[in-house]
């Protein structure tokens, strides 16, 4: 049995720390550090949300996702009760100890794409590893568009009254 799942069996010597411990002796149950008992699994969607939030925090990132997903997302965001999808443009593959991430971003015109990509990687890796404890083995970034200064922002809702 592994160290974290080993349990005392009937008739096993507990070394004075088990159920038969006398007055003043500590009672030990289950063995090992309580923080290491059991398993924690993290869903792909959790890592995708963390990644999306961390990527959007980087200066120079205008939006996430391809043109089509941004269009559908803008429509979905306008539906009453709908919420903005922070996972748009993010795909995560989560294993037991590692994760790999794919991001699709739109950058602002005039920024260095290489610098933005580096900053996104750093921010995403830091956030995901700190919050989940998973090792981020790769962050693949696809720049699908550049937001020009005179482009109409499709993420902004149209006014209802003209």
């Amino acid at each position: 049995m592994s160290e974290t799942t080993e349990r005392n069996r009937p008739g096993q010597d507990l070394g004075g720390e088990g159920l038969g411990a006398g007055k003043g002796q500590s009672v030990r149950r289950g063995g090992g550090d309580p923080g290491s008992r059991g398993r924690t699994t993290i869903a792909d969607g959790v890592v995708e949300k963390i990644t999306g939030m961390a990527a959007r925090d980087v200066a120079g990132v205008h939006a996430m996702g391809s043109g089509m997903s941004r269009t559908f997302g803008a429509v979905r965001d306008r539906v009453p009760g709908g919420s903005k999808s922070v996972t748009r443009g993010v795909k995560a593959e989560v294993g037991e100890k590692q994760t790999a991430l794919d991001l699709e971003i739109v950058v602002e015109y005039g920024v260095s794409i290489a610098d933005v990509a580096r900053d996104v990687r750093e921010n995403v890796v830091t956030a995901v590893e700190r919050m989940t404890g998973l090792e981020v083995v790769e962050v693949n970034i696809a720049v699908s568009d550049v937001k020009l200064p005179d482009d109409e922002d499709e993420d902004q809702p149209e006014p209802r009254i003209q």
Side-chain angles (χ1 to χ4, degrees), residues 16-34:
E17 295 183 33
L19 299 174
K23 192 173 190 178
Q25 294 179 334
S26 66
V27 175
R28 182 175 164 209
R29 298 175 191 202
D33 176 30

Side-chain angles (χ1 to χ4, degrees), residues 1-155:
M1 277 190 239
S2 75
E3 187 176 308
T4 58
T5 60
E6 191 171 332
R7 291 185 170 56
N8 294 325
R9 295 193 178 120
Q12 183 179 7
D13 181 20
L14 299 175
E17 295 183 33
L19 299 174
K23 192 173 190 178
Q25 294 179 334
S26 66
V27 175
R28 182 175 164 209
R29 298 175 191 202
D33 176 30
S36 66
R37 297 180 196 172
R39 268 182 24 166
T40 302
T41 56
I42 300 172
D44 293 2
V46 172
V47 175
E48 289 170 355
K49 284 183 180 182
I50 295 168
T51 300
M53 293 297 292
R56 282 176 175 76
D57 284 345
V58 174
V61 175
H62 172 72
M64 302 283 296
S66 66
M68 187 63 77
S69 72
R70 288 194 328 267
T71 301
F72 284 131
V75 171
R76 186 176 53 246
D77 293 346
R78 292 180 193 157
V79 173
S83 61
K84 196 166 193 169
S85 174
V86 295
T87 61
R88 186 180 312 142
V90 180
K91 176 71 177 121
E93 293 181 35
V94 180
E96 288 185 28
K97 296 179 182 179
Q98 297 178 326
T99 185
L101 307 165
D102 295 321
L103 286 80
E104 193 168 358
I105 65 173
V106 177
V107 298
E108 299 282 347
Y109 176 79
V111 300
S112 166
I113 292 174
D115 290 345
V116 170
R118 183 192 66 242
D119 293 345
V120 166
R121 277 190 185 91
E122 288 175 2
N123 210 34
V124 164
V125 168
T126 300
V128 170
E129 288 185 347
R130 179 179 56 83
M131 293 181 71
T132 66
L134 295 169
E135 176 190 4
V136 178
V137 293
E138 66 181 12
V139 179
N140 300 311
I141 299 173
V143 178
S144 62
D145 202 358
V146 174
K147 167 68 171 81
L148 300 175
D150 58 344
D151 281 351
E152 185 177 315
D153 194 355
E154 62 215 28
D155 289 340

